[in-house]
């Protein structure tokens, strides 16, 4: 069964510092996609970054980068130069096959990040 | 346009009421989803529509009834809900396949009294 594990319920980081949010996954499928989403208190889930199982390089999107270690089945999110607006819940997720023709996101339990001045 | 629009943003309903949540996207996505999220928990999948047909029902109680009138719209009809159904209901859409991101709406915060 496909499973996502986030072991850090809460993290603190000072403004302008970098922070790493951990994510490990379990799947026997050779083809999979890993995603990170940000959820501020307003509720919207905001897509941040994607890593495919066959991608040779780690994904990067602006201040977000993904430290993908396939052999260890980990996909940690690195946020550089943290800003106060980065305070939010962060979810790691995997697209898993569902039913006959579909895929859906399975989410980890999330990590609450608080950026302090 | 990478927007998924959900209405209403907030809803308070009694246990005998009938109400509907609405979701709209114009990104040409052929997969649409309903998720339920309780406070401090991850979203849980409820339903998936592929090409306007229900492809996944995650054993959701029949008091929740989804509907996909066309490729841009997704509804969730609510009837005889319980207080424990109070949650954030998130709609999402995506292209089909394992390597595409899903775009989420802002959600409807539902309170059942």
């Amino acid at each position: 069964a496909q499973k996502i594990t986030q072991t850090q319920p809460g993290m603190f980081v000072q403004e302008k510092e970098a922070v790493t949010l951990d994510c490990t996954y379990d799947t026997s499928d050779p083809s999979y996609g890993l995603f990170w989403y940000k959820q501020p208190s307003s509720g919207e889930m905001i897509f941040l970054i994607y890593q495919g199982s066959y991608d040779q390089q780690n994904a990067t999107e602006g201040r977000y980068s993904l430290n993908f270690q396939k052999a260890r089945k980990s996909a940690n999110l690195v946020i550089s130069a943290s800003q106060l607006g980065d305070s939010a819940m962060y979810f790691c997720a995997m697209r898993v096959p569902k039913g006959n023709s579909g895929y859906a996101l399975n989410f980890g339990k999330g990590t609450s990040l608080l950026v302090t001045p | 346009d990478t927007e998924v629009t959900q209405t209403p943003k907030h809803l308070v309903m009694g246990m005998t009421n009938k109400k509907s949540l609405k979701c709209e996207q114009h990104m040409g996505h052929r997969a649409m989803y309903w998720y339920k999220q309780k406070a401090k928990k991850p979203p849980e999948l409820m339903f998936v529509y592929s090409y306007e047909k229900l492809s996944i029902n995650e054993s959701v109680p029949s008091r929740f009834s989804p509907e996909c009138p066309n490729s841009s719209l997704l509804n969730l009809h609510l009837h005889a809900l319980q207080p424990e159904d109070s949650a954030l209901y998130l709609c999402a859409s995506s292209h089909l396949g394992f390597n595409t991101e899903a775009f989420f709406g802002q959600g409807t915060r539902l309170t059942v009294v």
Side-chain angles (χ1 to χ4, degrees), chain A residues 58-83:
Chain A
N58 287 344
T60 61
E61 286 287 348
R63 294 186 299 110
Y64 305 108
S65 61
L66 211 151
N67 183 0
F68 182 47
Q69 298 189 42
K70 196 169 180 178
R72 299 178 66 178
K73 293 191 174 179
S74 74
N76 299 337
L77 177 70
V78 180
I79 305 174
S80 62
S82 297
Q83 301 171 356

Tab-separated table of all heavy atoms in Angstrom, chain A residues 58-83:
chain	number	residue	atom	x	y	z
A	58	ASN	N	16.778	16.876	-8.961
A	58	ASN	CA	15.858	17.355	-7.937
A	58	ASN	C	15.072	18.543	-8.465
A	58	ASN	O	15.621	19.429	-9.110
A	58	ASN	CB	16.633	17.771	-6.679
A	58	ASN	CG	17.169	16.584	-5.921
A	58	ASN	OD1	16.731	15.452	-6.137
A	58	ASN	ND2	18.114	16.820	-5.043
A	59	ALA	N	13.780	18.578	-8.139
A	59	ALA	CA	12.926	19.668	-8.602
A	59	ALA	C	13.221	20.949	-7.820
A	59	ALA	O	13.558	20.905	-6.633
A	59	ALA	CB	11.464	19.282	-8.420
A	60	THR	N	13.102	22.079	-8.507
A	60	THR	CA	13.220	23.383	-7.851
A	60	THR	C	12.168	24.314	-8.429
A	60	THR	O	11.838	24.244	-9.613
A	60	THR	CB	14.612	24.028	-8.063
A	60	THR	OG1	14.808	24.224	-9.469
A	60	THR	CG2	15.720	23.166	-7.518
A	61	GLU	N	11.615	25.166	-7.539
A	61	GLU	CA	10.644	26.179	-7.940
A	61	GLU	C	10.873	27.389	-7.064
A	61	GLU	O	10.403	27.452	-5.937
A	61	GLU	CB	9.201	25.686	-7.745
A	61	GLU	CG	8.689	24.683	-8.720
A	61	GLU	CD	8.389	25.261	-10.097
A	61	GLU	OE1	8.367	26.495	-10.242
A	61	GLU	OE2	8.202	24.449	-11.022
A	62	GLY	N	11.637	28.343	-7.558
A	62	GLY	CA	11.902	29.533	-6.768
A	62	GLY	C	12.632	29.193	-5.481
A	62	GLY	O	13.701	28.591	-5.486
A	63	ARG	N	12.037	29.552	-4.342
A	63	ARG	CA	12.668	29.283	-3.034
A	63	ARG	C	12.447	27.857	-2.557
A	63	ARG	O	12.928	27.477	-1.485
A	63	ARG	CB	12.122	30.267	-1.989
A	63	ARG	CG	12.507	31.716	-2.233
A	63	ARG	CD	12.068	32.627	-1.079
A	63	ARG	NE	10.631	32.631	-0.868
A	63	ARG	CZ	10.011	32.086	0.174
A	63	ARG	NH1	10.710	31.485	1.127
A	63	ARG	NH2	8.702	32.162	0.288
A	64	TYR	N	11.667	27.082	-3.309
A	64	TYR	CA	11.380	25.701	-2.920
A	64	TYR	C	12.248	24.736	-3.727
A	64	TYR	O	12.374	24.883	-4.936
A	64	TYR	CB	9.909	25.361	-3.167
A	64	TYR	CG	8.929	26.290	-2.495
A	64	TYR	CD1	8.187	27.211	-3.238
A	64	TYR	CD2	8.749	26.249	-1.124
A	64	TYR	CE1	7.294	28.067	-2.620
A	64	TYR	CE2	7.851	27.104	-0.496
A	64	TYR	CZ	7.125	28.016	-1.255
A	64	TYR	OH	6.248	28.865	-0.647
A	65	SER	N	12.812	23.771	-3.040
A	65	SER	CA	13.515	22.701	-3.732
A	65	SER	C	13.197	21.393	-3.038
A	65	SER	O	12.798	21.363	-1.867
A	65	SER	CB	15.025	22.955	-3.758
A	65	SER	OG	15.542	23.022	-2.449
A	66	LEU	N	13.336	20.332	-3.784
A	66	LEU	CA	12.997	19.024	-3.263
A	66	LEU	C	14.270	18.192	-3.219
A	66	LEU	O	14.932	18.015	-4.241
A	66	LEU	CB	11.922	18.378	-4.165
A	66	LEU	CG	10.952	17.436	-3.484
A	66	LEU	CD1	9.616	17.418	-4.195
A	66	LEU	CD2	11.546	16.046	-3.431
A	67	ASN	N	14.601	17.679	-2.049
A	67	ASN	CA	15.744	16.796	-1.883
A	67	ASN	C	15.246	15.364	-2.030
A	67	ASN	O	14.754	14.756	-1.072
A	67	ASN	CB	16.386	17.028	-0.516
A	67	ASN	CG	17.634	16.187	-0.330
A	67	ASN	OD1	18.033	15.427	-1.220
A	67	ASN	ND2	18.266	16.306	0.818
A	68	PHE	N	15.343	14.841	-3.257
A	68	PHE	CA	14.767	13.540	-3.603
A	68	PHE	C	15.848	12.476	-3.503
A	68	PHE	O	16.834	12.510	-4.239
A	68	PHE	CB	14.205	13.606	-5.020
A	68	PHE	CG	13.542	12.348	-5.499
A	68	PHE	CD1	12.626	11.672	-4.714
A	68	PHE	CD2	13.812	11.832	-6.764
A	68	PHE	CE1	12.000	10.528	-5.155
A	68	PHE	CE2	13.180	10.683	-7.226
A	68	PHE	CZ	12.276	10.032	-6.419
A	69	GLN	N	15.668	11.527	-2.581
A	69	GLN	CA	16.596	10.408	-2.444
A	69	GLN	C	15.807	9.133	-2.645
A	69	GLN	O	15.182	8.598	-1.713
A	69	GLN	CB	17.266	10.458	-1.070
A	69	GLN	CG	18.090	11.728	-0.861
A	69	GLN	CD	18.922	11.691	0.403
A	69	GLN	OE1	19.526	10.675	0.736
A	69	GLN	NE2	18.977	12.807	1.104
A	70	LYS	N	15.851	8.653	-3.891
A	70	LYS	CA	14.968	7.562	-4.293
A	70	LYS	C	15.253	6.287	-3.519
A	70	LYS	O	14.332	5.579	-3.111
A	70	LYS	CB	15.146	7.326	-5.796
A	70	LYS	CG	14.059	6.511	-6.439
A	70	LYS	CD	14.214	6.577	-7.953
A	70	LYS	CE	13.135	5.774	-8.644
A	70	LYS	NZ	13.250	5.865	-10.116
A	71	ALA	N	16.519	5.966	-3.307
A	71	ALA	CA	16.860	4.720	-2.626
A	71	ALA	C	16.366	4.735	-1.182
A	71	ALA	O	15.994	3.696	-0.637
A	71	ALA	CB	18.365	4.505	-2.655
A	72	ARG	N	16.340	5.901	-0.583
A	72	ARG	CA	15.867	6.031	0.799
A	72	ARG	C	14.379	6.321	0.855
A	72	ARG	O	13.812	6.452	1.926
A	72	ARG	CB	16.644	7.133	1.510
A	72	ARG	CG	18.130	6.883	1.596
A	72	ARG	CD	18.854	8.027	2.264
A	72	ARG	NE	18.471	8.166	3.680
A	72	ARG	CZ	18.985	9.067	4.488
A	72	ARG	NH1	19.875	9.933	4.032
A	72	ARG	NH2	18.593	9.148	5.735
A	73	LYS	N	13.754	6.480	-0.314
A	73	LYS	CA	12.338	6.804	-0.403
A	73	LYS	C	12.009	8.038	0.419
A	73	LYS	O	11.098	8.044	1.259
A	73	LYS	CB	11.466	5.613	0.017
A	73	LYS	CG	11.587	4.443	-0.960
A	73	LYS	CD	10.554	3.362	-0.714
A	73	LYS	CE	10.633	2.314	-1.807
A	73	LYS	NZ	9.683	1.213	-1.638
A	74	SER	N	12.789	9.074	0.193
A	74	SER	CA	12.495	10.330	0.875
A	74	SER	C	12.415	11.476	-0.123
A	74	SER	O	13.086	11.457	-1.166
A	74	SER	CB	13.545	10.640	1.948
A	74	SER	OG	14.752	11.070	1.372
A	75	ALA	N	11.586	12.448	0.185
A	75	ALA	CA	11.357	13.603	-0.699
A	75	ALA	C	11.173	14.833	0.184
A	75	ALA	O	10.052	15.328	0.362
A	75	ALA	CB	10.136	13.367	-1.577
A	76	ASN	N	12.244	15.312	0.738
A	76	ASN	CA	12.170	16.419	1.693
A	76	ASN	C	12.070	17.754	0.982
A	76	ASN	O	12.746	17.999	-0.023
A	76	ASN	CB	13.396	16.419	2.596
A	76	ASN	CG	13.514	15.157	3.416
A	76	ASN	OD1	12.522	14.467	3.643
A	76	ASN	ND2	14.725	14.847	3.840
A	77	LEU	N	11.242	18.643	1.525
A	77	LEU	CA	11.070	19.986	0.970
A	77	LEU	C	12.030	20.944	1.680
A	77	LEU	O	12.073	20.980	2.908
A	77	LEU	CB	9.631	20.466	1.167
A	77	LEU	CG	9.330	21.894	0.706
A	77	LEU	CD1	9.371	21.981	-0.818
A	77	LEU	CD2	7.969	22.351	1.234
A	78	VAL	N	12.782	21.686	0.902
A	78	VAL	CA	13.672	22.706	1.448
A	78	VAL	C	13.134	24.079	1.051
A	78	VAL	O	12.920	24.344	-0.136
A	78	VAL	CB	15.119	22.542	0.932
A	78	VAL	CG1	16.014	23.621	1.537
A	78	VAL	CG2	15.651	21.161	1.260
A	79	ILE	N	12.885	24.913	2.055
A	79	ILE	CA	12.468	26.295	1.795
A	79	ILE	C	13.637	27.189	2.164
A	79	ILE	O	14.109	27.184	3.311
A	79	ILE	CB	11.236	26.687	2.636
A	79	ILE	CG1	10.082	25.699	2.410
A	79	ILE	CG2	10.787	28.103	2.281
A	79	ILE	CD1	8.874	25.936	3.308
A	80	SER	N	14.127	27.933	1.207
A	80	SER	CA	15.262	28.826	1.484
A	80	SER	C	14.744	30.221	1.798
A	80	SER	O	13.642	30.598	1.408
A	80	SER	CB	16.195	28.879	0.271
A	80	SER	OG	15.503	29.420	-0.840
A	81	ALA	N	15.523	30.975	2.551
A	81	ALA	CA	15.208	32.373	2.866
A	81	ALA	C	13.755	32.524	3.328
A	81	ALA	O	12.947	33.215	2.700
A	81	ALA	CB	15.475	33.263	1.652
A	82	SER	N	13.411	31.862	4.417
A	82	SER	CA	12.034	31.834	4.907
A	82	SER	C	11.472	33.242	5.094
A	82	SER	O	12.177	34.162	5.520
A	82	SER	CB	11.955	31.088	6.236
A	82	SER	OG	12.342	29.758	6.076
A	83	GLN	N	10.169	33.347	4.812
A	83	GLN	CA	9.450	34.600	4.991
A	83	GLN	C	8.286	34.374	5.949
A	83	GLN	O	7.814	33.249	6.104
A	83	GLN	CB	8.917	35.086	3.636
A	83	GLN	CG	9.993	35.304	2.592
A	83	GLN	CD	9.424	35.572	1.215
A	83	GLN	OE1	8.213	35.530	0.982
A	83	GLN	NE2	10.304	35.865	0.258
